[in-house]
Amino acid sequence: MVLASTPKVVLGCVAFTIFWVLAVFPSVPFMPVGRTAGSLLGAMLMVLFRVMTPEEAYAAIDLPILGLLFGTMVVSIFLERADMFKYLGNMLSWKSRGSKDLLFRVCVVSAVASALFTNDTTCVVLTEFILKVARQNNLPPQPFLLALASSSNIGSAATPIGNPQNLVIAVESGITFGQFLLGVFPAMVVGILANTFILLCYFWRYLSADRDQLEGGGAHGPEVVADEEVTSHRFTPARMSHASSVNDSDCISEPIRRSESMNRADALRSRSYNSEGDIQVAIRSLRASSLSREMVEVSTVCDRRDVVVDGGGGGGPRKITRSTSHQRSVIIEDAPEQHQHPAGLFDGEKDKDDEAIGKRRRWKVIVWKYAVYLTTLGMLAALLLGLNMSWTAITAALILLALDFTDAQACLEKVSYSLLIFFCGMFITVDGFNKTGIPNTLWELVEPYARIDSPKGVVLLAIVILVLSNVASNVPTVLLLGTRVAASAAAISPASEKKAWLILAWVSTVAGNLTLLGSAANLIVCEQARRAQFFGYNLTFWSHLRFGVPSTIIVTAIGLLIVMSY
C-alpha cells in the first residue's frame, strides 16, 4: 500500500498523535479529558479531517469484540457478587507458611484469576486485600504489589478472555479458545514460575528480614504516601472491571448502627450500592428480611432530600435521607416491628419461625451462588468446545441476569461502558491511521527481517512488539500489527500464521510488565495501593522499572521458546 496524499497523511498523524497522548497520559495538563474522551476525539478528527468517511468509521467498529467484552464484564460482576474473589483472597492467607510462601501464592492466584476473569478485574479486587495481609504480617508491600501486577499480566496471556488484546487476537485470527489455551498456557506456567523466582531473588533480603528489623528501619521499605498526596493523585484508567471503585477510599461506606442479632443482613450491609437500582434492591431486601430499627449507609452521589417509604408487608414506614458530597448516603431505618407474627404465637414459636425463615434465605443464597458458578463453568466449557466466543459470553451474561430474578438495571449500571466507548473510538482512530499508509510502509521496511521462520526474525519481531506495546499501548499495537504479521507468516505456512498470532498475544501481554505505564493492570495496582484506606503506599515508576526490565526480558524469551515449539 502506498502512502496517501500529503494532507491526508499529515492530518491522520495529527489525529492519531492526539489519541495516543490522551490514551497513554489521560490527565495531561493541557487537556485532562481521560482515555475515553481522547479516543472519541481521535475518531472524530479522523472523520473531520476527511481521512475516512463516516460510513468507513462505523464499519471500523468491531461488534464481536464489543460483545465479548460486554459478556465477560457482566459475568465478572456476578462472580464478584457471588464472593468468588473473596474466596480467592482467602486462599492467599490460608495456612500461610511465611513471606515467601505468601509471595508464591500471590503469583499463582493472581495468574489463574486473570486468565479467567481478566487481569484488570483481578488487580482491582485483590490489591487492597494484599496490602492488608502484608500489613498484618509486617511485610513490605512492594514485592507483593509487583507480584500481583506482573503475574496478572502473565496469567492473562493464557486465554482469549484474559485481557482486551487477546480478545482482539482471538476474534481477528479465528483461533478457538482451546487452541489458544494449548498454545500459550505452557508458556504462562513457565513464565509465572520464572517471574516468581526473579521476585524471590530480587526481594530475598526484604522477605527474610526479621520483623523487629523492619519495624526499626533495618530494611528499607516502600515509601508511605501522605494523605494529601493520595487524595490529590489523579488517574482514569480504561479498564475492563466495573469494580474500579470497590476499593476507592472516596466511596467507602460504613454502617452507622448494627444490631448484633441481625447476622442475616451482613452480606447486604457490607455491599456498596452505586445506583438507584441498587438502592431499590436494598430497600426491597430490607423489607423482606423484616429488620427492626436497622440503619444502613450506601454510597453514591445525589442531592440531599428526605423520602418516606412505605414499609409494606407490615414492616412499617422507613425514612431515607440522601446527602451530597463525594458520596450519597442512603440511610434506611425500619420503624418498630409491627404484626411480624400471627397473633397468639408464643416466644418459642416465634423464634422457630424466624430460624426457619433464615434457613430458607441462606439456602436461596447458596443455590444462587452455585448457579452463578455453574453458568460460568458452562461458558468456559462452551468456549473450549469452539463455540462462537462473543455469543457464548453474551448468552452466559443473559442467563445470569435472568437467574438473578431482580431488575437488571442495578447490575448493568456496573458495566464499564466507558471502556466499550473507548474501544469504539480506538477502532476508528487506528483504522484511520492505517488508511494513511504509514503503518504498511514501515512494516514493509521491517518485514523481510522479522519473519518467524528464523530465530533472528523472531527476536526482531518480539522487539518491535515489545517497544510498540510500551509506546503505543498493547491493544493499538495488536490492531496495527496483527493482520500484517499474520499475512507475512501465512506466506510461510498456515501453521506459521497461527503461531504468529500466538507470538503477538504472548509478547504484547508480557510487554506490559516492562514499565509502570505498560499496561492498565500496573496502573490499577499503583492507584489502588496509593489510595487504599490506612495502607497508602507509593509504587514508583523507577521501583517498577528495576524489576520490570529483567523480568520482562527473561519471561518473554522463555515464553517465545515454548510458543515457537507449539
Side-chain angles (χ1 to χ4, degrees):
M1 178 179 177
V2 297
L3 286 174
S5 62
T6 301
K8 193 172 183 178
V9 170
V10 173
L11 294 176
C13 289
V14 170
F16 184 80
T17 301
I18 292 174
F19 159 77
W20 176 82
V21 170
L22 294 177
V24 178
F25 308 104
S27 296
V28 291
F30 62 87
M31 192 179 292
V33 297
R35 287 186 170 90
T36 302
S39 69
L40 290 178
L41 179 60
M44 180 194 69
L45 292 177
M46 286 292 182
V47 177
L48 291 180
F49 292 161
R50 299 183 181 276
V51 178
M52 59 195 312
T53 64
E55 291 75 17
E56 291 173 335
Y58 286 125
I61 299 175
D62 201 320
L63 293 179
I65 295 176
L66 296 181
L68 186 54
L69 274 172
F70 173 81
T72 53
M73 281 191 283
V74 173
V75 173
S76 296
I77 291 170
F78 276 95
L79 286 172
E80 185 181 354
R81 286 180 55 192
D83 296 329
M84 172 61 72
F85 292 101
K86 184 182 75 174
Y87 300 145
L88 290 175
N90 292 337
M91 290 175 60
L92 297 177
S93 57
W94 183 68
K95 293 184 179 181
S96 177
R97 299 183 179 180
S99 57
K100 300 177 184 66
D101 175 54
L102 180 61
L103 185 71
F104 177 77
R105 293 189 186 194
V106 171
C107 291
V108 173
V109 170
S110 58
V112 174
S114 297
L116 299 176
F117 314 124
T118 75
N119 53 353
D120 292 354
T121 301
T122 301
C123 290
V124 166
V125 176
L126 293 183
T127 297
E128 188 168 357
F129 182 86
I130 288 174
L131 285 172
K132 291 179 181 178
V133 171
R135 170 66 76 181
Q136 290 170 358
N137 293 275
N138 199 22
L139 295 170
Q142 184 179 9
F144 303 98
L145 294 176
L146 288 174
L148 173 62
S150 59
S151 299
S152 295
N153 285 328
I154 297 172
S156 69
T159 63
I161 60 175
N163 54 60
Q165 62 268 21
N166 281 8
L167 295 175
V168 175
I169 290 173
V171 173
E172 294 292 331
S173 65
I175 298 176
T176 64
F177 190 95
Q179 292 173 335
F180 201 106
L181 189 65
L182 290 175
V184 184
F185 183 77
M188 184 272 280
V189 173
V190 178
I192 287 295
L193 295 177
N195 186 65
T196 305
F197 179 77
I198 296 171
L199 281 166
L200 289 172
C201 293
Y202 191 81
F203 293 104
W204 188 269
R205 182 171 63 89
Y206 286 172
L207 299 175
S208 301
D210 295 333
R211 294 188 178 187
D212 293 338
Q213 292 178 345
L214 289 173
E215 291 176 354
H220 179 67
E223 177 186 355
V224 179
V225 182
D227 291 340
E228 59 271 16
E229 184 180 357
V230 173
T231 56
S232 64
H233 183 70
R234 304 183 63 189
F235 172 65
T236 55
R239 60 190 68 170
M240 283 196 67
S241 174
H242 67 283
S244 59
S245 63
V246 169
N247 296 322
D248 194 335
S249 60
D250 293 337
C251 299
I252 292 178
S253 61
E254 299 177 358
I256 296 180
R257 186 186 304 156
R258 175 175 292 190
S259 174
E260 294 181 357
S261 63
M262 299 304 169
N263 295 328
R264 298 192 302 268
D266 281 349
L268 177 64
R269 292 198 300 270
S270 64
R271 184 170 292 131
S272 176
Y273 296 91
N274 300 318
S275 68
E276 191 69 31
D278 282 346
I279 295 168
Q280 297 302 324
V281 172
I283 295 173
R284 289 197 298 270
S285 299
L286 286 174
R287 286 175 180 170
S289 60
S290 299
L291 298 178
S292 69
R293 309 192 69 82
E294 179 75 275
M295 294 195 300
V296 180
E297 181 180 353
V298 287
S299 67
T300 181
V301 179
C302 188
D303 295 331
R304 179 177 179 87
R305 61 183 182 272
D306 293 340
V307 180
V308 176
V309 181
D310 184 10
R318 297 168 185 172
K319 181 180 179 181
I320 301 179
T321 303
R322 299 173 180 170
S323 61
T324 300
S325 56
H326 292 290
Q327 65 180 15
R328 174 173 59 192
S329 297
V330 180
I331 303 172
I332 304 171
E333 180 176 3
D334 280 357
E337 297 183 4
Q338 299 177 1
H339 308 295
Q340 291 187 355
H341 298 278
L345 286 180
F346 295 102
D347 291 341
E349 294 175 337
K350 294 178 181 180
D351 292 340
K352 289 181 180 179
D353 188 50
D354 287 340
E355 184 179 355
I357 294 174
K359 286 182 178 180
R360 285 196 297 269
R361 287 172 184 153
R362 285 193 293 270
W363 273 108
K364 287 181 180 179
V365 171
I366 293 173
V367 170
W368 178 81
K369 285 185 177 181
Y370 276 106
V372 173
Y373 300 151
L374 289 176
T375 302
T376 305
L377 290 176
M379 181 190 75
L380 296 176
L383 293 174
L384 287 172
L385 291 175
L387 299 182
N388 183 278
M389 285 188 286
S390 298
W391 283 108
T392 298
I394 293 174
T395 301
L398 293 176
I399 291 174
L400 291 176
L401 290 171
L403 290 176
D404 203 29
F405 291 104
T406 59
D407 190 349
Q409 178 184 356
C411 179
L412 293 178
E413 284 181 350
K414 296 180 180 180
V415 173
S416 180
Y417 295 104
S418 62
L419 179 63
L420 300 178
I421 297 173
F422 171 81
F423 264 76
C424 291
M426 181 177 61
F427 287 141
I428 297 173
T429 305
V430 173
D431 189 63
F433 187 58
N434 282 331
K435 292 184 181 300
T436 64
I438 294 178
N440 268 337
T441 302
L442 295 177
W443 176 248
E444 289 173 359
L445 297 176
V446 178
E447 193 270 339
Y449 311 100
R451 298 171 66 87
I452 66 171
D453 56 350
S454 67
K456 292 182 179 179
V458 173
V459 172
L460 179 59
L461 178 62
I463 293 174
V464 171
I465 298 172
L466 190 69
V467 173
L468 277 180
S469 295
N470 281 273
V471 172
S473 188
N474 39 29
V475 180
T477 296
V478 168
L479 291 173
L480 288 171
L481 291 182
T483 55
R484 296 173 177 85
V485 172
S488 176
I492 302 173
S493 67
S496 297
E497 181 181 4
K498 182 188 300 182
K499 193 173 296 184
W501 282 112
L502 296 179
I503 290 174
L504 181 61
W506 173 255
V507 179
S508 63
T509 301
V510 179
N513 288 335
L514 186 67
T515 67
L516 189 62
L517 302 175
S519 74
N522 297 344
L523 294 172
I524 290 171
V525 170
C526 176
E527 178 68 6
Q528 296 291 96
R530 290 173 66 96
R531 302 182 66 177
Q533 192 177 30
F534 310 119
F535 307 102
Y537 285 99
N538 183 21
L539 184 62
T540 65
F541 178 88
W542 295 110
S543 63
H544 185 283
L545 187 67
R546 285 193 293 268
F547 162 77
V549 171
S551 172
T552 302
I553 294 175
I554 294 173
V555 173
T556 301
I558 294 175
L560 275 176
L561 294 176
I562 298 175
V563 173
M564 287 298 297
S565 63
Y566 170 64

